[in-house]
């Protein structure tokens, strides 16, 4: 049975002071969490008003490779956002009168808020990369109470997701995860490298058309060696024992041993020629989207690619590459690619979801994040924005959660199962996700759910009144 979720927060906006109690009571929220041993999720509600920015906001950070990135973002994001927003030239004239800073009639927020959020994410990304190798996702929802509507602005980076459901339990809006399997993200990454190395320098491969065989995987697995260390075993599984320092060796033996080592090194080098990017990855990878050798060899003299061959060798490589345009450039150690782990046999069975691979040897299940020092340059901290507005007589519920939930539930399932009570709904989603992971063999992950409802009182009134507007009509207006 799933453990009881931690109810991190529960309440409404009726007591915040800067919002009329009647309006504040229309927004009820709850935050439930079931942390695992990693305990890398950070979710909280900011009830205080940020002048010129919002009346409140909900934030979720899901760290990976350590909790440092998420902890720093949770502590500094709103601080940096406020500083950057009011340091912008466009807002300088309202610094002494922040309450009257103009907002858009359409979105309900300042026209410069998106840029301020982007710059805050970029600043955090730079700071985190200097201090740690960890990274984090971001999903924030800004709230503003207007005269006739409630306005929401979503900003997200990575695979932490937000959905909006109506009174019938239907999902009417959802943010799109930034993952390498997304066609939009693949085109963005492809455009990134095309802009650096010329048009069509990044190619799409068919299924199993180009499998990069990891040297450490093929040799270590077949010979019983370590997947991470050097190659310490020989044929037949017998280890190559180093000679004892007490055993005298003749000069002839030393020369013979040196020749054998050079021969083995040459064989290893030949095996690795096509797969220098795989030296640090202990498994075979099916390349889905990556750079073409023949096109990058000519352009490798500058920019993002460092060519290690010179003179006649470079010319020979160009000729060889022209014969095989789908072959990867050995010297191209600074170009990432999109692929997935596959089995080391003829079937090429898929062992993972599609991932973004970095020349450092690291691979990521998302294509955008804040932090991640070892990530490729195409993995950016730029958020995506969405604006929604709701009438005060229309019910809606917003669910913001980490991938601990979304790996086990679809948007439609989460919308249907959460009900209309934010406290019960957030707890239920956490417990169901935990059960699914526990009894289906999936790895445990932190599960964090933020749920808040808009105009729950309107739904109750409309349910009992035949002459009023049905809560099923016009759940939300997406700008």
């Amino acid at each position: 049975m799933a453990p009881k979720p931690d109810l991190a927060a529960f309440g409404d906006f009726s007591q915040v002071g800067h919002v009329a109690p009647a309006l504040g009571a229309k927004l009820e929220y709850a935050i439930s969490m079931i942390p695992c041993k990693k305990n890398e999720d950070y979710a909280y509600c900011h009830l205080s008003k940020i002048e010129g920015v919002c009346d409140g906001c909900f934030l979720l950070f899901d760290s990976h490779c350590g909790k440092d990135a998420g902890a720093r973002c949770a502590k500094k994001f709103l601080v940096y956002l406020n500083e950057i927003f009011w340091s912008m030239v466009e807002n300088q004239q309202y610094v002494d009168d922040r309450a009257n800073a103009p907002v858009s009639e359409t979105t309900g927020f300042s026209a410069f808020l998106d840029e301020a959020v982007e710059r805050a994410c970029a600043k955090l990304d730079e700071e985190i990369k200097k201090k740690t190798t960890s990274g984090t996702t971001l999903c924030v929802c800004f709230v503003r109470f207007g005269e006739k509507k409630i306005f929401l602005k979503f900003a997200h980076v990575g695979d932490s997701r937000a959905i909006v459901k109506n009174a019938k339990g239907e999902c009417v809006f959802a943010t799109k995860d930034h993952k390498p399997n997304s066609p939009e993200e693949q085109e963005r990454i492809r455009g990134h490298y095309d802009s650096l190395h010329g048009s069509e320098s990044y190619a799409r491969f068919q299924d199993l058309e180009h499998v990069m065989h990891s040297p450490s995987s093929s040799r270590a697995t077949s010979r019983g060696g370590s997947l991470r260390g050097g190659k310490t075993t020989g044929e037949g599984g017998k280890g190559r024992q180093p000679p004892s320092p007490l055993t005298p060796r003749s000069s002839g033996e030393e020369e013979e041993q040196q020749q054998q080592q050079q021969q083995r090194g040459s064989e290893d080098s030949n095996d690795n020629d096509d797969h220098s990017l795989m030296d640090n990855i202990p498994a075979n990878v099916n390349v889905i989207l990556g750079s073409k050798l023949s096109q990058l060899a000519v352009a490798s003299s500058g920019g993002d690619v460092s060519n290690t061959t010179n003179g006649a060798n470079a010319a020979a490589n160009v000729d060889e590459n022209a014969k095989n345009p789908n072959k990867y450039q050995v010297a191209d150690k600074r170009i990432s690619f999109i692929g997935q782990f596959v089995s080391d046999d003829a079937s090429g069975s898929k062992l993972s979801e599609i991932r973004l691979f970095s020349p450092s040897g690291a691979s990521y299940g998302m294509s955008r994040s804040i932090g991640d020092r070892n990530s490729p340059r195409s993995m950016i901290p730029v958020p995506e924005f969405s604006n929604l507005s709701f009438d005060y007589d229309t019910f809606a519920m917003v669910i913001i959660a980490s991938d601990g939930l979304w790996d086990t539930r679809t948007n439609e399932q989460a919308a249907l199962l959460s009900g209309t009570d934010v406290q019960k709904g957030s707890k239920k989603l956490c417990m169901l996700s935990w059960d699914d992971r526990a009894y289906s063999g999936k790895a445990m992950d932190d599960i964090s759910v933020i749920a808040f409802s808009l105009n729950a009182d309107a739904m109750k009134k409309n349910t009992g009144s035949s002459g009023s507007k049905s809560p099923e009509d016009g759940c939300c207006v997406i700008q």
Side-chain angles (χ1 to χ4, degrees):
M1 179 180 292
K4 185 178 180 181
D6 297 329
L7 187 63
F10 173 69
D12 58 37
F13 274 67
S14 61
Q15 304 297 324
V16 295
H18 59 275
V19 178
L23 295 181
K26 290 179 175 290
L27 194 155
E28 300 176 353
Y29 67 90
I31 302 176
S32 297
M33 308 175 73
I34 299 182
C36 67
K37 289 184 178 180
K38 297 185 299 181
N39 195 18
E40 295 173 340
D41 282 7
Y42 295 85
Y44 66 98
C45 172
H46 184 81
L47 300 179
S48 301
K49 183 175 183 177
I50 304 177
E51 291 289 357
V53 176
C54 63
D55 291 325
C57 59
F58 299 89
L59 304 99
L60 174 65
F61 302 96
D62 180 6
S63 294
H64 47 266
C65 303
K67 61 176 64 177
D68 295 340
R72 186 166 187 84
C73 285
K75 182 178 180 180
K76 295 292 187 179
F77 176 76
L78 291 180
V79 176
Y80 289 166
L81 175 61
N82 188 49
E83 292 176 354
I84 292 172
F85 181 82
W86 288 110
S87 66
M88 297 173 68
V89 176
E90 296 84 354
N91 296 326
Q92 286 296 305
Q93 58 182 317
Y94 301 103
V95 169
D96 297 329
D97 189 18
R98 300 187 178 191
N100 293 321
V103 297
S104 169
E105 295 182 359
T106 304
T107 65
F109 295 92
S110 169
F112 309 108
L113 179 56
D114 291 7
E115 181 182 352
V117 173
E118 289 184 8
R119 290 169 58 180
C121 291
K123 183 175 181 178
L124 284 166
D125 178 72
E126 183 179 358
E127 289 184 355
I128 291 170
K129 285 179 178 177
K130 291 180 180 179
K131 296 180 177 296
T132 178
T133 57
S134 68
T136 182
T137 67
L138 158 71
C139 192
V140 56
C141 177
F142 300 99
V143 180
R144 181 180 287 276
F145 294 88
E147 294 182 2
K148 298 180 180 179
K149 295 181 178 181
I150 298 178
F151 296 96
L152 305 180
K153 179 185 286 290
F154 294 94
H156 75 287
V157 176
D159 58 1
S160 292
R161 191 185 314 164
I163 69 169
V164 178
K165 55 174 282 188
N166 62 13
K168 294 191 298 182
E170 299 171 337
C171 179
V172 296
F173 168 80
T175 59
K176 294 182 179 180
D177 294 352
H178 297 138
K179 289 191 172 184
N181 62 359
S182 165
E184 294 84 358
E185 285 298 287
Q186 290 184 5
E187 286 304 311
R188 180 189 63 78
I189 294 171
R190 184 173 186 172
H192 169 82
Y193 288 110
D194 282 351
S195 66
L196 293 174
H197 308 296
S199 177
E200 298 183 358
S201 62
Y202 226 54
R204 187 176 296 279
F205 297 87
Q206 302 298 322
D207 189 35
L208 297 178
E209 178 183 350
H210 187 65
V211 176
M212 300 180 71
H213 299 282
S214 170
S216 59
S217 173
S218 58
R219 264 187 292 275
T221 305
S222 60
R223 299 180 183 178
S226 169
L227 289 177
R228 299 188 61 185
K231 304 168 185 62
T232 59
T233 58
E235 295 181 358
K238 297 180 180 180
R240 298 197 298 268
Q241 300 294 333
S244 170
L246 300 179
T247 304
R249 292 183 298 176
S250 64
S251 60
E253 290 178 349
E254 292 180 354
E255 292 179 358
E256 182 180 359
Q257 184 177 12
Q258 290 178 357
Q259 291 178 357
Q260 291 176 353
Q261 291 177 347
Q262 291 177 357
Q263 183 178 2
R264 284 195 298 269
S266 176
E267 293 175 356
D268 291 346
S269 176
N270 291 334
D271 289 342
N272 297 345
D273 271 351
D274 296 344
H275 313 298
S276 62
L277 289 175
M278 296 296 296
D279 287 344
N280 299 322
I281 303 177
N284 298 335
V285 173
N286 173 34
V287 179
I288 297 173
L289 189 66
S291 58
K292 279 190 175 181
L293 170 61
S294 60
Q295 294 173 329
L296 284 179
V298 179
S300 61
S301 58
D304 196 37
V305 183
S306 58
N307 199 333
T308 59
T309 58
N310 295 309
N313 292 335
N317 280 346
V318 173
D319 293 339
E320 180 184 355
N321 298 338
K323 299 176 183 178
N324 188 0
N326 289 335
K327 194 175 179 182
Y328 274 70
Q329 182 177 0
V330 176
D332 182 12
K333 292 180 177 294
R334 297 176 62 185
I335 296 294
S336 65
F337 62 90
I338 296 173
Q340 60 188 146
F341 292 110
V342 294
S343 60
D344 190 14
D345 54 32
S347 66
S349 302
K350 299 174 182 178
L351 304 179
S352 73
E353 298 294 333
I354 296 176
R355 301 179 68 82
L356 177 62
F357 288 81
S358 169
S360 66
S363 66
Y364 301 88
M366 64 195 73
S367 55
R368 301 191 194 190
S369 74
I370 301 174
D372 286 313
R373 180 191 301 167
N374 296 323
S375 63
R377 291 196 297 177
S378 58
M379 191 168 174
I380 58 177
V382 179
E384 187 174 345
F385 298 93
S386 305
N387 295 290
L388 288 77
S389 62
F390 301 86
D391 296 331
Y392 281 120
D393 58 352
T394 301
F395 170 83
M397 180 184 286
V398 179
I399 298 172
I400 303 172
S402 61
D403 62 345
L405 170 66
W406 303 121
D407 286 347
T408 65
R409 292 289 182 270
T410 64
N411 298 340
E412 292 73 20
Q413 289 172 339
L416 187 62
L417 293 169
S418 56
T420 58
D421 185 282
V422 292
Q423 186 173 354
K424 294 180 180 178
S426 61
K427 288 183 177 180
K428 183 177 182 180
L429 291 176
C430 286
M431 295 177 70
L432 290 175
S433 181
W434 192 95
D435 284 339
D436 187 78
R437 289 179 176 276
Y439 297 112
S440 65
K442 295 181 180 178
M444 278 297 171
D445 195 5
D446 298 315
I447 306 170
S448 303
V449 178
I450 302 174
F452 64 92
S453 62
L454 307 175
N455 311 315
D457 57 337
M459 184 185 68
K460 298 175 183 178
K461 294 178 182 178
N462 291 332
T463 302
S465 176
S466 59
S468 60
K469 179 180 177 182
S470 170
E472 301 173 2
D473 298 336
C475 176
C476 67
V477 178
I478 302 177
Q479 308 293 349

